[in-house]
Amino acid sequence: VEFLYCDLASMKSIRQFVQQFRAKNCPLHVLVNNAGVMLVPEKKTEDGFEEHFGLNYLGHFLLTNLLLDTLKQSGTHSHNARIITVSSATHYVGKLHLNDLQSRCSYSPHGAYAQSKLALVLFTYRLQHLLTANGSHVTANVVDPGVVNTELYKHVFWVVKVVKWMTAWLFFK
């Protein structure tokens, strides 16, 4: 096992990671896009993007696109390479504000999070369509893991934290 650092909130870090990974000349059979933030107060990434959209969507978008050729080279007729992107059922309530992807007009942590997850779903659907149309041996899937007991909930209202603390053992994965 080897560790390579990649900060998905930094376009520079993503590009450096991909450069380091490619230098190893290794195949890439599975890419799991599973980093994210949820309900964070209004904040920008080092590149100036709203944090939910920058990290949850743009980071995965750039990483996937920079590694796509490696994935295509790694997939075979009998064993497709795979891209698995973790989203959330929250995407159902998301609205893609094409004129305000950075949530500048009226910031809502819930709205920004839902929009980033909807963007991931739409990206993955479109990517799978393109991969299929080109006969590529790569599949792209987007998944909802359900309610998982992670640190993602650190920015929720204190009452929700108390309810989570009392019920997580029963309802959360």
Side-chain angles (χ1 to χ4, degrees):
V1 174
E2 187 174 349
F3 176 80
L4 296 176
Y5 178 80
C6 182
D7 177 358
L8 286 174
S10 165
M11 302 295 126
K12 179 181 177 185
S13 178
I14 294 166
R15 290 180 191 285
Q16 288 173 340
F17 167 81
V18 170
Q19 186 177 27
Q20 290 174 341
F21 179 80
R22 282 189 177 159
K24 296 184 175 303
N25 206 23
C26 295
L28 179 59
H29 299 285
V30 179
L31 172 63
V32 179
N33 292 319
N34 187 35
V37 293
M38 183 175 82
L39 308 179
V40 295
E42 190 169 10
K43 183 179 170 189
K44 303 243 184 276
T45 66
E46 69 179 47
D47 299 297
F49 300 115
E50 185 278 319
E51 191 170 27
H52 290 99
F53 199 74
L55 194 155
N56 293 357
Y57 175 67
L58 294 175
H60 291 112
F61 178 88
L62 180 61
L63 180 65
T64 300
N65 278 285
L66 292 177
L67 291 173
L68 199 52
D69 286 341
T70 305
L71 285 155
K72 288 177 180 178
Q73 293 166 4
S74 303
T76 65
H77 179 68
S78 58
H79 297 290
N80 283 347
R82 297 174 188 218
I83 302 165
I84 301 162
T85 300
V86 179
S87 186
S88 164
T90 305
H91 84 273
Y92 286 112
V93 297
K95 290 184 170 59
L96 203 56
H97 299 285
L98 295 176
N99 293 330
D100 189 24
L101 292 173
Q102 302 302 315
S103 302
R104 289 185 180 121
C105 290
S106 63
Y107 183 78
S108 157
H110 295 281
Y113 177 71
Q115 176 176 252
S116 72
K117 293 304 181 175
L118 175 58
L120 279 175
V121 170
L122 295 174
F123 163 62
T124 305
Y125 282 8
R126 180 66 181 159
L127 178 59
Q128 179 57 44
H129 173 77
L130 294 172
L131 292 168
T132 301
N134 292 325
S136 177
H137 297 297
V138 179
T139 60
N141 295 282
V142 61
V143 298
D144 170 15
V147 184
V148 182
N149 192 9
T150 69
E151 287 298 311
L152 281 176
Y153 298 92
K154 68 182 174 186
H155 295 288
V156 298
F157 189 59
W158 71 269
V159 173
V160 175
K161 285 182 184 179
V162 170
V163 171
K164 177 187 171 276
W165 177 78
M166 293 176 8
T167 62
W169 64 274
L170 182 61
F171 297 113
F172 287 32
K173 293 177 189 167

